Structures are given as C-alpha cells and as structure tokens.
C-alpha cells in the first residue's frame, strides 16, 4: 500500500511513462502529417470523438468502482482477520481453563498451551499471506515455521493448502482439550465458530485471488481507452490547425493538449487496474506483511511477552 | 471463466463479428446513398444523435452494473460453498466422535463414517453444479455417483432436486449419529446450522439461475444500442461529407469511424450480457467445475488421502 | 415475471403506445406549425434542451436503479423463503422425534405430525402471496385452506394478517411438542429461530408492499421526461428545417427522430416503473405463484409423496 | 409519507414556489437588461454553462442517492422493528410458560403477564417514535402511558432516553421470570437477543436522527444549483436574442425555458432534500405513527383481543 | 462534525481560499496575456476542455462516493458501539447475578461489580477515541483513568493498544465471575459475544484509520482538477474575447466565470476530501467525543446515578 499522501512524481512517471511516450509519438506524427506534410486524409469531425469520450468515461468509471471494491473487500477481510485473531486470543485465555472438578494441570502447562494456540494463529496469518502471494516456498521457514512446533511446520508446508491445515490443527486441539476436560462442550463449539470465521476470511481472500475481475470487462476498458486515444488527435487536429495565432505552427499546440487528455483517460484506467488484484505483492497491495506483524505484536503482548518485534514501516513510501 | 489477462482477438471477433458485419454493411450503404448516389433524404442533424448516445451510455452502464453484480454474487455463493465445505469437514472430524460413556465403536468405523460424510459433501457440490447447468442426466454417473453409496446415488438422480435430497441425507445421518450416541445434541444443532448454510447457498444459486435479469431492462438495452447504431451514420454522414481533404471520397471515412463508435457501444452491451447468467456452461461462467475439484482436493487431503485428482486447468484460456 | 428472452413487440407496444401516440401527434403539430404554417414563434436554441436531456438522463438512471433494487430485494426475500422452507422441513424431520426415555408415540403419528408442520409451511407461503397481492378473499379457499386443518383455515382467513397467525400456530405447536417431550428445549429454540427468519422475510415483503418508492422521487421522474419530450421538438425543429435535401419537406424528418428520442427517454422511465412494485400481480411481478408451487413440490417430495403437482408454466411468456 | 401516486400540483407548488418566483424575477430582469435596455455587459458564452450544468447534475445525483439511502435505511429499521415485535410476541407466548416441576401459577396470571410484556413492547415503539420526533413532552401521556403500569410510565417519561429504559424493564422482568422459574436460562438468553435486536434498531434510528447528511456535502449541492441558475440566463440570452421569429421580442422566450431548466435542477436538489431526514414529522417522513399502530393491532390481535384500534389512514394524502 | 444546516461563509472561505486565490491570479494572467498583451499563443479550442471536464466530473464523483462511504462506515461503527454499550449494560445487570444455590454475596457487592463493569465500558469507549485520534498521551488521565481502578489505568496506558487491553480485562473478569459462581457458563459465552462485537467495532475503526483512501485514487482526483483548472481559461478566453458588448474589455469577463467553474470542481474535490478520514480530530470528524459522552450518560443513568455530566454541545458549529 502506497502511504505517502501525494504520490511522488517518480511513481506517476513509472506508472504511465510508456503510455505517455506512445501518446507523444503518435500525436506528433499526426501533427506532422497534418501540418508540415499537409496530409489531411484523416481529418474527421469532432462529434464522434466527443461521444466516444463520454461513453469511455462511463465505462472506465464503472471499472474503477469494481476494482476499488475488490481492494476494499480484500482490506475488510484482513480487517476481520485482525479482529478474529483478538477474539481467538481472548476466548482461548478465558475458555481453555482447568475446571475445578477435573484433574488440575499445572498452571504453567495452561500458559504454555495458550502460547501454542496463539502462536499457531500468528502462523496461520503468515501462512495465508504467503499462500496468497505465492511465497510459501521461499518464506515459510522464516515467517511461519518459528511459530509452530517443528514437525507440524514441516508437514503443513508440503500440503496444497497450508493455512487450512493449520486451522484443522486448531480444531483437533480443541477436541483434545475437550477430551482432556480443559474445555467444555459449549465453549468448544464457540471456539469452533471462531475457526469458522477464520475459514470464511481465508476463503474470501482466495476468491478474490483466484477470480480476477472478469477479463471481458477489464480488457475492453483497456481497449476503449487506446481506441479513444487513437482517434482523439484526428478529431482535434483541424480545430487547432484552424487557429491562427502561431500561424502554421499553431497545429503543434495540439500535441500537448491531446496528449494530456489521452493521459488523463489512461491514468483513470491504469489507476483502476492497480487495485484490481490486492494480493500480488506490488506497491498497491493490501499491506498484509504489516497487518500480520500487528497481529503478532497484539497477540504476544496479550501473552505478556515484553520483547516484541517492531512494527513494519514503509519503505520508499510503500507498506507491504 | 475466461482467464487470459487480455482476451484473444479471436474471442473478441467471435463475440462481436455479427454486429460488426451488420454495422459495416449498413454504414457503407448509407455512405453509398449519400455520397455517390447523392441521396440526402436522411440527412439529420447531430444533436439528437449525441443526446441519444449519452442516454444510451447511461442505460448500458446501469445494465453492466446489474449484470456484473449477478456474476459476482454467483461467485460469492460458490466461495461460500468452498468455505462451508471446509467448515463441514472440520466439524465432522471433531464433533462426530465416540464419547467415553457410550459403546465405543471401532476407530476404523469412525474414519469410514467421516469419509462418507465428506464424500457426500463433494457429491452435493457436483450435484448442485450439474443441476445449475442442467447436466444431471449426462454427467451424474461420472461426477456425482462415485462419491455416494450406490443405492443413494440412484435414488437421488431421479428426484426433481437432487442436491436438496443429498443435504436431507446428511441431516438424517446427523440424527442417526445422535441416536447412536456419536454426536451430542448441541453439536448436532451446530452441524444442522452448516447444512442450513449450504441450503442457503444452493437457494441463492437457484435464484440467480431461475430469475433472469428482468427482461424489460435487458431487452431495451439491446434495442437502444441498435437504434443508436442505426441513426449514428445519419447524423455523421454530412459532417464527413463536408470535409474536403479527399474530395468526394472523404465521405467514405465515415464508415470506419461510425462503425467504431457503434462497435464500442455494442461491445459494452454485449460484455454486460456475458455476465448476466453465470451458470450457463459458457466461457464467462463462474468456474464451477474447477471450484468443485478444489473442494474435492481439499476434503480428500483433509481425509489424509494421498492420491488426489489434479486441479482443473484452463482449456483454450477458459476455466469451466 | 416476463420470461421470454426478448420482449414481444406486442408487449412493447402495449407498454408505450399511449406515449408514442402523444409524441407523434405533438411533434407533427409542431412541424406543421413551423413548416407549412411558418409559425416560428417557438423556435428555441438547442442548448437548454441538451442540458435538460443530460440532467433528465441522470435522474431516470437514478430512479431505474432504485426500482430495480426494489424488485431484486423482493426476489431475494422470496429466495430466502424457499431456503428457509427447506430448512424448516429438514429441522422438523430430524428435530421432532420421539426420544428414547419418553413415551414413544406411534411412528405413524410422527409422520402425520411432520406432514402437518410442512403443509402449514406451504400454507404460509401461499397465504403470504395472497396477502401481498390482496387476493385473500378470492383465493384462500383453493390455495391455502387445503394445506391446513379446516378449523384453523377458517379462523386464520378472517384475521387482519393471516400469515402471521399461521406462524403463531407453528410456534404454539413447537411449545406443545416440547411439553409432550417430542422436542428438546434446545431444538425448540432452534426451530423458533427458523420461524423468526420467516417472520423477517414476511416483514420485508410487507415493507416493500406498503412503502412505495417515495412518490416525490418517482413523480418527478415522470414529469421531467414529459417536459423534456415537450421541448425537444422546439429545439430540434429548426435544425431540420435548415437542411435542404428535401426542400420544404425536410422539416418533416424531425417527426420520426424527435419521437424516437422522446420514446427512448420514456421507455427508460416506464421500464424503471415496472419493477417498482414487485408484488402487484402484473406481468413484471416476482413470480410468487411459481415459487410457492416449487416450495410445495419440494416439501411434498421430502415427505416422500409421489403425486406431486406440476410446476407452474409461463402463460403468454409470463410467469406469475 | 406522501402516498398519492402522483403528487398534487399544490404540493409541487408549495415545494418549489419560492425558487420558481426567484427564477422568474431574475430571468425577467436579465432579459429586460439584454433586450429592451440593450445592456449586453453580461453576455457570456454557453460553454462554461453547459459544463457547469453537467458537473452540477452529477453532484445532485450523488446527493439524491445518499438522501434516498437515508430514508430507506430508516424505513428498513422500522421494518425490522415490526418484525422483531412479532418475534418478541411469539417468543414471549411460548417461552414464558409454567414448567411442570415448578409451582404452577394460575393460567390467568400467565395471560396477564403476556399482556404486560406485549403492551410494553407497544409502549416502546411509541416511545421511540416520540423520542425521534421530539414529542415526548406533549404526547407521552396519550400514546405511551396507556400501555404501561402507571408508576413505570411516570418514571420513564422523565429520563433522558425513555425507550432505553423500557427495554431495560423488559430485561429486568426476564430476569425475574427466570428467578421465579417461569423462564429457563436458555430461553432467557434467547429473549435477551430479541431485546438486543430492538436496541440495535433504536440505535440505528438515533444515528440517522443525530447525524445529518454531512453538511458540507448537502450545503454545496444547494449552492451549486443556485450558482447554475444564476449563470444559466447569461449563457442563454444571446442564443435566444439572435433568433428572429418574434423580432425584438424573441429574447423574452428565454424566460420560460431558462426558468424551466433552473426549476428542474432545483427540484432534483429539493426532492433529494426531502428524504434526508426521515424522522422529522414532515410529509415525507417514514410513517412511524402508522407503523406503530400496525404493531399495536398485530400484537393485540395475537393477544386475542377483539376491540382493536383502526389503522391510521392518510390525511391529505399523507401518512404520518 | 459540522452541525449548522448551512455552512458559514467563513468556513467555505477557509476551505477554498487558497485555491480561489490561485485560480484568480492564474485566470487574470491568462486574460492579461490574451487581451491587453495580445499573446494568443495558448489559444486552444473548447472541445478538449469540455471532454476533460466531463471525465473529471465523473472521476471526482466516484471519489466523493468513496469518501462519503468511509465517513458513513465510521459513523455506523460508532453507532454500533452505542448499541453494544447498552447491550453490555443490560446483559451485565441481568446476567451477573447471585444464583440461589451459591454463596450469596452482599447485594452491595453486586451493585459495585455492575458499576465497575459499566465504567470500564465507558473507559473503553474513551480509550478507543483517544487511540484513534492519537491523544492517549495527553488525555488519558482525564478521560479514561477516572473510569478505571487506578492500577489498571496505569498499566493499560503504557501498552501499544490500550482499548484491546481493557476488553481483555472484561473477559478476564467474566471468567472470574464464572469461577465465583456469579455467572453461568452459558451467560458467560453470551457476554463474550458482546465483547467480540466490541472488538469488531474497534477493528473496523482501526481499519479505516490505518488504511487511507488508496492514494493513487485520491491523488489523481486532485491532479485532474488542477489540470482542468489550468486549461479551462485557455479554452474559454477566445470565446469571451470574440464577444463585443464591452469591446476590448469583454475578455475580462472570463475571469469570474472561469474562476467560478474551476471553483465548483475544486469544491467537489475538496468536500470529498473532508470525509475521507473521519477520525482525525478535525471539524468534519465523526463526533466521537459527543458520542462517548452520550454513552457515559446512558450507562450512568442505567446505574441510577443522578449527577450526570452534561451533553457535549457544538462549539463554533462543530461537534467533536
């Protein structure tokens, strides 16, 4: 996620330089043909250009909306992961307890148990993040494994869907705690509900990841903008040419203004595109690394640990 | 679901060739009348065309929104089916268990029981998919039956709504497990809640399937675009004819540009149309086959099977 | 609900003939004044017409959205009625059961009990439909009464809100079953939750029925379109008159094109209007009769009845 | 809520007369200056007016949407109050019951108890309505007090939030019933859930009441429309003046058309305004009096009372 | 939150003075060049300006929508905090009770216990507000500490997320009450659900706080408006210059009108910006101080305290 209030111009440049260059060359070419070479073959009236521009503006507006909604849904899902992680922690602390009429285990055992259940939740967050960004192979050992018993970490890594497996482990442990008498049936069902909330959040992320914005909608948004940019100078050139202030050079004024209008349409399209896929490890991503770290800090603080990791900070204005 | 980032031009061509051809012939005809034949009878001013174009752009924008929402709701419903299938699995594993004070069945029986309950869930997903795509007759035996006891498979196939029947079976089995003492009352109610979630997802899919986008809205979107395409050249032709660069041939320039604008409006309308009905077994469908396979892999992996089927891959850029 | 993919022209004609006729007469009149009679009094420039057209297009787009949302919410509510009816059935089957430690009633009694509870659910669906369409007086005896004990049917018919009364009966019966030991307290509460879901769906339908789209919004949408249609020819007429191809007759070309544009705006407004009130027994209704029948078939099949009624089919392309 | 299908012109007149008058005077003045007095100082081109008109149309469309959503959310909240009142009634009837193993109170006591709990629900609805319309002082004694024990009515009236207090009383009574053995713990919690639903609906209404549509958005919608109305005739006047049909009088034709366009923009703005605050006791309100009466009729009918109050009917086309 | 129905002009002035000044200087400069200095170098046609204006109007409309949704979601979250605080109170009163078969504590102890649990809820609301507005350091001691046992207040202040810690304390206390026999297991789980609702509301607020409106969307909205303002006079100037009423001075008329149109676009953009971040302690904030005070009054009134603090009133038309 880009965090600087105003984008740096270098970012803008990188985002649009290629289009800008193409627009510049193309418009210059048209001007050169129309002005110096006096080739008026492609002189077309303004009306179809204006109408096309309006229709295209509608269409890219519609697509921007859809793209933004995808980003925001992704962000909401990770917001709910934050909340549910805290709920998990609080429920684990106060539901998983020795009951008076059972064999009372050592309080240190209970504390260790709480720690394992909360660490596995941190592991799940990180595993889901790596799964979405397709980084499980490289980063599992440093980002997920430290929060898991080592055998479990090794097993989960090799499966097709590691985060599901971790939630499966939590569920198994809930059953075992019930069987050991450390969890009542009613509270077990309540904790299973929390696991269900996590499964739903995970499934929501996978849905966004695996189902792109329908390509037929997205592709034509791109096509239309380029078609528009292609006919824009054809419609504009004569309007500029008929002005006289700069004499025969006045037509060249078309270049900056036509490029500008093309650029604006292009930017709207491209900006919409940036938020289409919020889990791709690029600079407009949902900042999952940062969110995972926050969860880790939250949960370890609740475990009364005092050596907490630092928050993730933005690098080059980007929070990953 | 089409998965290639940019549509192949062959797809675009197939999607719009008929309209394109009609536009081309019609515009050529108008040009031929206006230019060579000098029939100016249908010379109309541009203003009503522009106004109509704006209104039509609004209307097809509105329809695109509605259509996209239908696709996305369909996708969300199948996303919730994925999640709920996992929830079902985890609940079955850890709720359906021998309780100490009951006759303890053999652990293998429990394992077999889990397998049956998860396989029936896979069967339900496939059955729902076939039901929505109206393929029950052809594909039931290969896609659904292998996951069910054979008598049950035969019975369900013949009913008017097979997926409902499968969930009914799950519900019956829950009651029997309760009566056998393998499920407590409280957990039975929790599992019934999961069955309710599945019924809701199924009902949501059937609602989208059985209730088309209101025809009065959809039909006029089509009509308006064609009306617009019909009057567009009438408004444009004189604008081109009055240009001189190509002399008497300049009017022919109208053809490509008028066709282009008509085509853009037509594409917006047609693209909106593609996502209207997301369960029709066409290339813009919700990829239900692929989702069902994923669920199958997930659940069989949770059952610790090792011979898992392969993921469905896109064929000709399309994931079904 | 109109089900034919493309509206028949007869339907379009019925929907818009009156407006079309008025537009035709009015535009002809204006042309006649301006052309033959040479009365140019009402010659106005195009600019205010175009601006008004844009604003009106926005406004009717806004209204179409709101209307469509009302239809779709109505459809969703009936979708949830379908789902909840199935949930009711499955819960009744597997929750209402003799428990081992109670006096075990005859299994036939249980079956009869299940039948009564499911039939009353069918009765409720039909009663709600009649209530929404204000047909209770005429159709109660054929559509609702057959699914109820006769005394109950007679009582409910006379009350101000029959469907509420039927759910009240279900609730009473749940309590009696609890008192007879055929339902545990926990399951009774779960079934009461299903009754609550049905009450919510019913209340949602009544809300849409009793609260029209705010009249101030809807009325002006109608007014604006007619104002626009009234000034459109005033703005267009001179544009046509100034063309020469047909000499003094060219002005008459205005009539078809002006009527066409007026008609498009009018259609958008009228089509929006069709889905405003989805429970009025007209051809654009939510197809409640058909949905109720589906529920009846579903529930009777679950009761293992074999003589099922036929599905409702569309008559003249309309599904009621 | 205005209920007549088409607004009476008297209502339209009252809604817009002031603006209409101002527009009329202003446009006449401009015409008089431009025409007879030949003061062309303020002659401006049409282009900025058209552009401004488009931008303003967008903005008031956006505001209309937001306003309508506020009305509709208010209506949905009261719809949920209707539903939850029925749920409360049904739960009270069938959950609050003597249990066999307790001291069985007289059945008449139970009936009286049900009556008190349902009447207090009616009192709550009325109290919430008065609270939202700031009418507690005047109308409490006639609208709320009759449904409450007299001491309770007196106490609640004086508090800062009477409806909250009534729900508090319901909650206390639930606890007492539990302590008396007339309500099981599980059912008490279920009834507390219903009280929570009512608190949520109440809080939603208070939120809409206390948080106006952000003034910065609403205010500029008003400002922009008036700015637009102010420059509209400046842009139009020359277009009319240059027409010749009526000679020097043709310019006066501008007045009706310019006023018309201004009026349309103004109406869109004003109509949006009407639904902004749906709990203000004006003619576009959510019809809370009528809804409260419906709830009263429903609940008293469920109590098998036979002397029911009449429904609220519209007075001068308005349902309060 | 600004509460005056119409914004004071001083507020408008402060909001837009800088832009207004820049527009004024820039337009004057262009006029001066074009008119007196006769520099027509930058004379461009109107068409690209109009098209750009339309596209920009779309884009800032889209952004206004997104911003308004952020404000409204923030307000809804605080609305749910109000509701859930009342639910907490009512549940605490009637769930946390001595049960007959336990050692009955003194009723005064119970009352004191209720007070502590409700005061901590007030402390949480205030702590969340300070956390969102980054005022914990300055205001904790006066706004939060008085509602907490002093040791607890000191501990929580130092943690990275104080509100989470307070809810953790509530959860711990629930467990202790359960262990002391003052709360049944079932009611403990119900109260934990209320804590979960509070955690979700807190997480929602943090999400809005920590995730700005995607900068790429917001930044270009700003850029586009300024680009539009920059080319607007270039397109307009000749239109004004060609008018004759004021002779060579007529061109100066461009300045007010061009500034006006620029200003309108700028205001739409800026107003959208005001509601983007609703927790920043500025005048368009969600009025959290006022809401927190209302909650305090509500809860203390429910505790039957009589010396209640006053409501927060607007200062200079602003409610914080």
């Amino acid at each position: 996620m880009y965090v600087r209030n105003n984008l740096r111009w270098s970012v803008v440049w990188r985002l649009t330089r290629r289009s800008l260059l193409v627009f510049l060359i193309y418009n210059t070419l048209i001007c050169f043909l129309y002005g110096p070479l006096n080739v008026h073959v492609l002189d077309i009236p303004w009306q179809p250009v204006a109408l096309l521009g309006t229709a295209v503006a509608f269409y890219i507006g519609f697509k921007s909306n859809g793209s933004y909604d995808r980003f925001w849904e992704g962000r909401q899902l990770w917001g709910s992961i934050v909340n549910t992680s805290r709920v998990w922690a609080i429920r684990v602390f106060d539901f998983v307890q020795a009951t008076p009429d059972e064999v009372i285990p050592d309080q240190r055992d209970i504390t260790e148990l709480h720690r394992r259940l909360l660490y596995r939740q941190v592991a799940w967050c990180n595993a889901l993040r790596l799964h979405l960004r397709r980084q499980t192979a490289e980063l599992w050992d440093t980002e997920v494994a430290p929060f898991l018993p080592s055998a479990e970490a090794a097993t989960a890594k090799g499966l097709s869907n590691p985060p599901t497996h971790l939630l499966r482990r939590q569920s198994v442990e809930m059953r075992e705690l019930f069987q050991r008498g450390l969890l009542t049936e009613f509270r077990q069902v309540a904790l299973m509900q929390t696991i269900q909330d996590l499964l739903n959040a995970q499934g929501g992320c996978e849905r966004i990841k695996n189902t792109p914005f329908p390509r037929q909608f997205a592709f034509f948004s791109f096509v239309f903008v380029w078609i528009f940019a292609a006919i824009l100078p054809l419609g504009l050139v004569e309007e500029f040419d008929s002005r006289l202030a700069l004499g025969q050079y006045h037509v060249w004024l078309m270049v900056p203004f036509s490029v500008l209008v093309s650029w604006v349409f292009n930017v709207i399209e491209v900006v919409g595109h940036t938020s289409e896929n919020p889990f791709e490890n690029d600079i407009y991503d949902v900042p999952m690394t940062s969110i995972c770290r926050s969860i880790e800090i939250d949960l370890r603080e609740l475990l009364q640990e005092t050596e907490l990791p630092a928050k993730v900070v933005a690098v080059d204005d980007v929070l990953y």
Side-chain angles (χ1 to χ4, degrees), chain A residues 72-279:
Chain A
W72 196 235
E73 192 188 354
R75 183 62 189 84
Q76 284 179 313
L77 288 165
W78 275 91
S80 82
I81 288 173
V82 172
N83 305 345
T84 314
S85 297
R86 290 172 182 162
V87 170
W88 175 256
I90 283 180
R91 286 191 166 176
V92 162
F93 284 134
D94 296 316
F95 284 175
V96 179
Q97 287 291 341
T99 43
D101 52 323
E102 303 282 338
V103 182
I104 297 177
D106 195 311
Q107 181 61 33
R108 274 175 307 177
D109 289 359
I110 294 283
T111 305
E112 179 53 30
L113 181 57
H114 289 170
R115 209 187 70 90
R116 186 165 74 242
L117 291 170
L118 266 62
Y119 268 47
R120 192 183 282 122
Q121 172 62 19
V122 175
W124 175 80
C125 295
N126 283 328
L128 176 57
R129 164 168 61 90
L130 301 188
H131 190 60
L132 292 172
R133 286 187 176 153
R134 311 287 184 241
Q135 300 173 315
T136 303
E138 311 99 82
L139 298 178
W140 179 274
D141 295 332
T142 54
E143 307 269 314
V144 180
F147 299 99
L148 290 173
S150 58
E152 190 181 329
T155 310
K157 188 185 179 182
L159 295 174
S160 68
N161 193 323
T164 305
H165 183 77
L166 295 181
L167 290 178
R168 171 83 189 91
R169 287 300 312 156
Q170 298 282 46
S171 166
V172 167
E173 194 141 3
M174 290 303 107
R175 172 168 53 77
E176 290 167 359
L177 288 170
F178 165 73
Q179 285 164 341
R180 286 173 58 200
L182 290 171
L183 192 60
T184 62
E185 181 188 346
F186 189 58
R187 288 169 178 153
Q188 182 200 3
V189 172
L191 279 160
M192 289 297 275
Q193 182 61 47
T194 304
I195 294 176
Q196 174 172 350
D197 293 345
L198 295 170
L199 278 171
N200 284 341
Q202 174 184 336
C205 292
E206 289 175 2
R207 166 168 51 80
I208 292 176
K209 177 76 183 184
N210 294 333
T211 306
F213 197 82
R215 299 323 303 158
Q216 67 271 35
F217 284 100
F219 171 69
F220 283 110
S221 145
F222 166 82
V223 169
F224 291 166
V225 165
W226 282 90
I227 286 178
F228 172 71
I231 74 168
L232 178 64
L234 308 182
L236 271 184
V237 70
E238 201 229 322
E239 305 285 345
F240 276 91
D241 194 46
S242 64
R243 313 255 148 175
L244 302 168
L246 297 176
Q248 69 186 75
Y249 302 111
H250 207 105
V251 72
W252 289 101
L253 262 185
M254 184 202 81
V255 177
F257 291 98
S258 175
V259 167
L260 187 72
V261 175
S262 303
W263 179 80
V264 167
F265 275 76
N266 180 252
V267 164
I268 298 178
E269 208 272 325
V270 167
V271 162
H273 194 69
T274 57
S275 72
E276 229 179 273
N277 296 311
F279 304 133

Side-chain angles (χ1 to χ4, degrees), chain A residues 26-37:
Chain A
Y26 177 69
N27 279 279
T28 307
L29 186 73
I30 297 290
C31 254
F32 190 68
L33 285 170
Y34 198 97
L37 300 193

